[in-house]
Each structure stands twice: as structure tokens, then as C-alpha cells.
Amino acid sequence: MDIDAGLIPDPLKVGKGPGLLLAHGAGSDIQDSYGPVIERLSAVSTVVGPDFPGSGNCPLPQGPLTLNDTADYLVASAVRAGIESFTISGFSMGTAVAVRAATRHRERVTGLILSSGFAYPNSRLRLVIDTWRALARDTGNPRTLASYLSLVVGGPQWLDGRTPEEVEEQLALFSAGMPAGADAQLAMFDHIDVREDLRSISVPTLVISPLADLITTPLHSRELADGIPHAELVTLDCGHAIAAERPEAWADAMTKFLTALPRTGEPAGRP
């Protein structure tokens, strides 16, 4: 990944305690994927949250994004922030990045939290991503993409309960546009496959499966949990966007897991 180091913004760093590195989803950023739970997580961890290349103020590299380079970039961001070892919490595509980081940087990764995740995109997930990318290319009708994303990101029960005004607010948010690197991030789905990585994961792992997830369905979470030795699987009654639908329950599950881990990965100084 050839990005000028001087152009890479410093990652979010808040809290105290052992290191926790966040890996957000494709077409997203740290605040979008994790914003509502960062404060809770920072009460028990030193949270580092870089935006992936193409999101936030982080530029895209010259060539295509790859899983290995993105995993290395994620880890380098934590080290740059002064955190030498850490648990990684990955959301959606960030789960695959987290798994690959755990196998490429074993000396640094002390635990994994994999939420709304997947090991590889099956046929249904490929259709979701291909449709997303195709609609995004139709820049003349952003509301169509916004409507599609609203239908697949939100759980049916949650979306059924939204008022027309709340739906319009969400459509306006999605219509405002994706990160500049959204398509490059989504293109990574063509090559992501961490199934072989799973069996070699030896750190404590929590898999969080939203039961109404229409993007990465519970089948994907089960595959992660079954593939990683001794992984714990918990479920939440919500759709893909956990931070929007069940932030308190998500934060509860993550902080419970984090506080039970051995006290490693804590920086010498306090931020």
C-alpha cells in the first residue's frame, strides 16, 4: 500500500487501559461504524480507530486495496499511536481485516471481536455488494442507492418501526454520499477469503451475530465461530448496523469480553 506517510492522518485515540484497535466496515468510517459505542469502550480500553484508506481524511493508495495491505495498515496505525499490542474489534468487512491482521501480526494481537462479519462472501453477499456498487455508479439517482442501503442495512423490525420522517432522515444521510474510497473498499470483496486463517487463530475470540442481519447473515457468523478454536458466539436481536439499532447491547457484549481478558496491551503512559 503506497500512501505517503505524511498524508495519513493520526487515528482516533481515546480512553485508558489495554489497547483496542477498531476496524470499520467498507463504505464507512470509524464514526459511522463505531461512533455510538466508542465512549463505552474507552472506559475500559485505550481505543485506537483509524479510517481505512479512502475513508475520512485518509487518501487512497496508487494501486488497488488488498486485504494484506489493509491489515498491515491497521496494525501500523495502532503502533503509530503508541499501542504495541491490542485486541482488534472488526465490524463487517473489518472482521476479515481483523482476522488477517491476527495471523500476520501474532505478536501484537491479544484478542478478536468479530461483529456482523464474514470469512468470505458467499453468493448472496456478492449480490448485495455488486448491487451496491452498480447503484453507486448511477450518480444521477442517489436516492435509489440510499433506499437500497436502508433496506439491507437495517433489520426488518427496526425499519418497520421508523416513522416516515426518520426514514427520510436516513435516506438523506445515505444520499449525501459514500466515502471517496467506497468502491475501492467494496472491490476487496472480490478477493477476501480468510477461511484458512481461522483455524490458526489462538487468541480469545468473540463473534457477535445480529439475528436480523440481511448483509452478512447469521450463517457467516456461525462459520467464523465454528472455524476459530474456542470462539464464543453471542447473538443480538438487530440488523447489520448494530451501532444504530442496539448500541448499548453491543457495548455490553464487547466490554464484558474485554474486561475478562488478561491485562495485556496496556500502554505505559495515559493518553
Tab-separated table of all heavy atoms in Angstrom, residues 143 146-147 150 159 162-175:
chain	number	residue	atom	x	y	z
A	143	ARG	N	-30.841	8.653	-4.516
A	143	ARG	CA	-31.888	8.164	-3.619
A	143	ARG	C	-32.131	6.663	-3.809
A	143	ARG	O	-32.499	5.974	-2.856
A	143	ARG	CB	-33.178	8.948	-3.857
A	143	ARG	CG	-34.288	8.607	-2.846
A	143	ARG	CD	-35.545	9.414	-3.120
A	143	ARG	NE	-36.632	9.006	-2.247
A	143	ARG	CZ	-36.871	9.520	-1.048
A	143	ARG	NH1	-36.080	10.465	-0.584
A	143	ARG	NH2	-37.890	9.094	-0.320
A	146	ALA	N	-29.598	5.024	-1.735
A	146	ALA	CA	-29.949	5.252	-0.337
A	146	ALA	C	-31.087	4.335	0.097
A	146	ALA	O	-31.077	3.789	1.210
A	146	ALA	CB	-30.332	6.715	-0.120
A	147	SER	N	-32.073	4.146	-0.773
A	147	SER	CA	-33.197	3.266	-0.445
A	147	SER	C	-32.724	1.817	-0.324
A	147	SER	O	-33.132	1.091	0.590
A	147	SER	CB	-34.279	3.380	-1.519
A	147	SER	OG	-34.807	4.682	-1.574
A	150	SER	N	-30.772	1.362	2.880
A	150	SER	CA	-31.682	1.373	4.030
A	150	SER	C	-32.369	0.028	4.194
A	150	SER	O	-32.571	-0.451	5.319
A	150	SER	CB	-32.728	2.476	3.861
A	150	SER	OG	-32.134	3.754	3.890
A	159	LEU	N	-36.601	-1.291	10.907
A	159	LEU	CA	-37.036	-0.405	9.829
A	159	LEU	C	-38.553	-0.244	9.825
A	159	LEU	O	-39.071	0.842	9.565
A	159	LEU	CB	-36.553	-0.952	8.480
A	159	LEU	CG	-36.661	-0.014	7.276
A	159	LEU	CD1	-35.921	1.288	7.532
A	159	LEU	CD2	-36.130	-0.691	6.023
A	162	ARG	N	-39.662	2.621	12.033
A	162	ARG	CA	-39.256	4.011	11.785
A	162	ARG	C	-40.435	4.824	11.270
A	162	ARG	O	-41.268	4.332	10.494
A	162	ARG	CB	-38.153	4.086	10.732
A	162	ARG	CG	-36.837	3.366	11.020
A	162	ARG	CD	-36.209	3.797	12.305
A	162	ARG	NE	-36.631	2.888	13.387
A	162	ARG	CZ	-36.460	3.114	14.673
A	162	ARG	NH1	-35.909	4.238	15.073
A	162	ARG	NH2	-36.829	2.227	15.579
A	163	THR	N	-40.500	6.072	11.685
A	163	THR	CA	-41.502	6.991	11.157
A	163	THR	C	-41.061	7.449	9.768
A	163	THR	O	-39.881	7.353	9.413
A	163	THR	CB	-41.646	8.218	12.060
A	163	THR	OG1	-40.429	8.973	12.016
A	163	THR	CG2	-41.959	7.814	13.499
A	164	PRO	N	-41.995	7.971	8.952
A	164	PRO	CA	-41.598	8.499	7.649
A	164	PRO	C	-40.496	9.557	7.759
A	164	PRO	O	-39.599	9.622	6.917
A	164	PRO	CB	-42.895	9.095	7.100
A	164	PRO	CG	-43.977	8.281	7.745
A	164	PRO	CD	-43.466	7.992	9.124
A	165	GLU	N	-40.562	10.377	8.801
A	165	GLU	CA	-39.548	11.412	8.976
A	165	GLU	C	-38.181	10.794	9.269
A	165	GLU	O	-37.149	11.268	8.766
A	165	GLU	CB	-39.945	12.362	10.113
A	165	GLU	CG	-41.176	13.214	9.841
A	165	GLU	CD	-42.482	12.440	9.952
A	165	GLU	OE1	-42.496	11.341	10.583
A	165	GLU	OE2	-43.493	12.927	9.405
A	166	GLU	N	-38.168	9.743	10.082
A	166	GLU	CA	-36.898	9.070	10.387
A	166	GLU	C	-36.324	8.382	9.160
A	166	GLU	O	-35.102	8.386	8.950
A	166	GLU	CB	-37.111	8.065	11.523
A	166	GLU	CG	-37.343	8.713	12.873
A	166	GLU	CD	-37.783	7.708	13.918
A	166	GLU	OE1	-38.399	6.670	13.573
A	166	GLU	OE2	-37.507	7.964	15.122
A	167	VAL	N	-37.191	7.794	8.340
A	167	VAL	CA	-36.720	7.166	7.108
A	167	VAL	C	-36.128	8.217	6.177
A	167	VAL	O	-35.062	8.017	5.576
A	167	VAL	CB	-37.860	6.401	6.413
A	167	VAL	CG1	-37.432	5.950	5.016
A	167	VAL	CG2	-38.276	5.196	7.251
A	168	GLU	N	-36.798	9.359	6.049
A	168	GLU	CA	-36.292	10.425	5.186
A	168	GLU	C	-34.942	10.937	5.684
A	168	GLU	O	-34.045	11.249	4.885
A	168	GLU	CB	-37.291	11.577	5.111
A	168	GLU	CG	-38.489	11.302	4.236
A	168	GLU	CD	-38.107	11.013	2.792
A	168	GLU	OE1	-37.167	11.673	2.267
A	168	GLU	OE2	-38.727	10.128	2.179
A	169	GLU	N	-34.786	10.996	6.993
A	169	GLU	CA	-33.504	11.432	7.560
A	169	GLU	C	-32.390	10.450	7.183
A	169	GLU	O	-31.280	10.848	6.828
A	169	GLU	CB	-33.629	11.551	9.079
A	169	GLU	CG	-32.366	12.054	9.766
A	169	GLU	CD	-32.534	12.189	11.263
A	169	GLU	OE1	-33.673	12.061	11.758
A	169	GLU	OE2	-31.516	12.417	11.942
A	170	GLN	N	-32.700	9.158	7.254
A	170	GLN	CA	-31.705	8.157	6.894
A	170	GLN	C	-31.397	8.212	5.402
A	170	GLN	O	-30.236	8.099	4.995
A	170	GLN	CB	-32.190	6.761	7.279
A	170	GLN	CG	-31.209	5.649	6.912
A	170	GLN	CD	-31.519	4.357	7.630
A	170	GLN	OE1	-31.478	4.295	8.857
A	170	GLN	NE2	-31.854	3.332	6.868
A	171	LEU	N	-32.427	8.375	4.573
A	171	LEU	CA	-32.205	8.473	3.133
A	171	LEU	C	-31.341	9.684	2.797
A	171	LEU	O	-30.463	9.608	1.925
A	171	LEU	CB	-33.535	8.567	2.399
A	171	LEU	CG	-34.417	7.311	2.413
A	171	LEU	CD1	-35.750	7.588	1.721
A	171	LEU	CD2	-33.715	6.140	1.754
A	172	ALA	N	-31.559	10.774	3.484
A	172	ALA	CA	-30.748	11.973	3.251
A	172	ALA	C	-29.299	11.723	3.624
A	172	ALA	O	-28.366	12.170	2.935
A	172	ALA	CB	-31.310	13.153	4.047
A	173	LEU	N	-29.092	10.987	4.711
A	173	LEU	CA	-27.732	10.670	5.147
A	173	LEU	C	-27.016	9.822	4.102
A	173	LEU	O	-25.879	10.112	3.705
A	173	LEU	CB	-27.781	9.938	6.486
A	173	LEU	CG	-26.445	9.482	7.070
A	173	LEU	CD1	-25.578	10.685	7.397
A	173	LEU	CD2	-26.661	8.631	8.318
A	174	PHE	N	-27.679	8.757	3.634
A	174	PHE	CA	-27.064	7.903	2.625
A	174	PHE	C	-26.906	8.637	1.293
A	174	PHE	O	-25.917	8.418	0.571
A	174	PHE	CB	-27.896	6.639	2.420
A	174	PHE	CG	-27.762	5.627	3.522
A	174	PHE	CD1	-28.865	4.884	3.936
A	174	PHE	CD2	-26.557	5.394	4.144
A	174	PHE	CE1	-28.755	3.944	4.951
A	174	PHE	CE2	-26.425	4.464	5.160
A	174	PHE	CZ	-27.531	3.730	5.569
A	175	SER	N	-27.869	9.494	0.944
A	175	SER	CA	-27.803	10.219	-0.327
A	175	SER	C	-26.667	11.236	-0.352
A	175	SER	O	-26.226	11.654	-1.426
A	175	SER	CB	-29.130	10.940	-0.600
A	175	SER	OG	-30.188	10.026	-0.786
